[in-house]
Amino acid sequence: MVEQRNVPKQAGRGEDRLVVIDGDSGVSCAAVIDGVTDKSGRDYGGMTGGARAAACVATSLRRLPPDTPPQAAADAMTTDLALLRRSWGIADDDPLAPAAVAAVFLPAQGVIWRVGDVHVAIGRGARWETRPADKLIDRVLAGTRAAYLHCLLAEGHDLDELIAEDVGRALVLPVLKRQSLLANCEHAGPFGYGVLDGRPVPARFVEVIHLDQEVDQVVLASDGYLSPAGDLATAERELAESLRADPMRIGVHAATKGLAPAATSFDDRAYIRLQTSQRPGPG
């Protein structure tokens, strides 16, 4: 493990988790777990639903043997999250149930697997293969929010007022609260996506990335970062420059939420870079 960071967007622990499990010959498992932003307003024992779900997934991962196949691991997490739902009296069809996404690196298996929108980058010497966090429903809603806020700015609305009261997010919030109906759904068309929320995750939403012998670095990062940059300093610099230029998140990096008052970023963020050989990495 070369470097790692986990930063909440504002005071408190946040909804992202890092898991690093040491084995006999080094790291046996590393993961970035991103709790889905809670839109229910419920209190789960002093935690949000996203934080509670991320903690549950982290606990599941720590007890699983490192040779557990990806689908079996996702199934085990699903079982634990279903128990979490029941312990808090959350209905099976509740669209605002605690949920998380995750990317998991298992060196012994030579794989990275992920469910949902977590950034992944794979280094081979000076060459990087990036697999950014992305899903269509987020792009559509981010674009809708951005277009609406640009319309209001063109009408002469004050930028600071729009930052203080994000009416663009209010516009898309009804869909954000219902979009989990498209999650883990085989019949959701291009809007379907995977998430760990206590419902079975179809195999097509458990992405497995097989690593060849040339891979010497791996980066996992939550979507609070703009990309899976090859080192932490670059990831932080990209984010800081973008936030300065576009705190509302309605420009190049449009999002479903902007930089809230008193927040340090638009989302929690977690990053980890691991090296699989003795070659020193950047940073």
Side-chain angles (χ1 to χ4, degrees):
M1 196 278 295
V2 180
E3 55 186 351
Q4 61 177 319
R5 193 169 192 201
N6 189 357
V7 185
K9 60 180 177 287
Q10 53 193 16
R13 187 173 181 192
E15 296 180 321
D16 289 0
R17 298 289 183 271
L18 286 173
V19 174
V20 179
I21 303 172
D22 291 325
D24 294 336
S25 57
V27 172
S28 64
C29 174
V32 164
I33 305 164
D34 184 352
V36 174
T37 301
D38 195 310
K39 305 166 192 72
S40 70
R42 301 177 188 130
D43 181 270
Y44 292 90
M47 299 171 67
T48 66
R52 183 66 69 179
C56 181
V57 170
T59 299
S60 300
L61 190 58
R62 288 189 179 97
R63 68 172 176 77
L64 290 172
D67 60 351
T68 304
Q71 184 67 56
D75 291 345
M77 293 171 183
T78 293
T79 298
D80 290 344
L81 284 163
L83 292 172
L84 175 68
R85 277 184 182 235
R86 287 195 286 274
S87 69
W88 289 95
I90 306 300
D92 290 343
D93 60 352
D94 190 314
L96 299 178
V101 294
V104 181
F105 173 39
L106 297 168
Q109 293 189 44
V111 301
I112 299 167
W113 66 266
R114 69 177 172 181
V115 173
D117 47 346
V118 177
H119 296 301
V120 172
I122 301 162
R124 298 177 178 87
R127 295 179 293 113
W128 283 94
E129 173 190 345
T130 60
R131 303 198 182 198
D134 182 59
K135 62 180 187 286
L136 179 58
I137 186 67
D138 286 347
R139 296 202 306 272
V140 170
L141 295 180
T144 300
R145 172 181 170 269
Y148 183 54
L149 289 172
H150 275 292
C151 287
L152 295 181
L153 290 170
E155 285 181 347
H157 288 261
D158 182 73
L159 175 63
D160 290 336
E161 290 180 0
L162 293 177
I163 291 175
E165 184 180 355
D166 190 343
V167 293
R169 183 166 178 83
L171 176 71
V172 300
L173 191 58
V175 183
L176 289 171
K177 287 183 173 181
R178 291 171 175 81
Q179 75 174 45
S180 68
L181 298 170
L182 305 172
N184 300 332
C185 179
E186 291 279 18
H187 309 294
F191 292 102
Y193 62 95
V195 72
L196 298 163
D197 67 354
R199 296 175 297 171
V201 183
R204 77 183 185 99
F205 294 132
V206 181
E207 181 183 3
V208 181
I209 304 166
H210 295 276
L211 307 179
D212 56 57
Q213 293 298 314
E214 294 183 0
V215 173
D216 58 11
Q217 291 192 85
V218 166
V219 168
L220 309 176
S222 67
D223 63 357
Y225 285 103
L226 303 186
S227 71
D231 61 90
L232 180 57
T234 300
E236 288 286 339
R237 184 175 63 253
E238 287 177 349
L239 178 62
E241 291 174 353
S242 179
L243 288 173
R244 281 195 297 270
D246 179 24
M248 291 187 71
R249 319 306 296 149
I250 59 173
V252 174
H253 300 289
T256 58
K257 55 189 172 184
L259 183 63
T264 60
S265 188
F266 69 98
D267 201 358
D268 303 326
R269 62 192 189 273
Y271 178 104
I272 187 167
R273 177 163 65 95
L274 300 106
Q275 189 174 298
T276 61
S277 76
Q278 296 303 309
R279 187 186 67 82

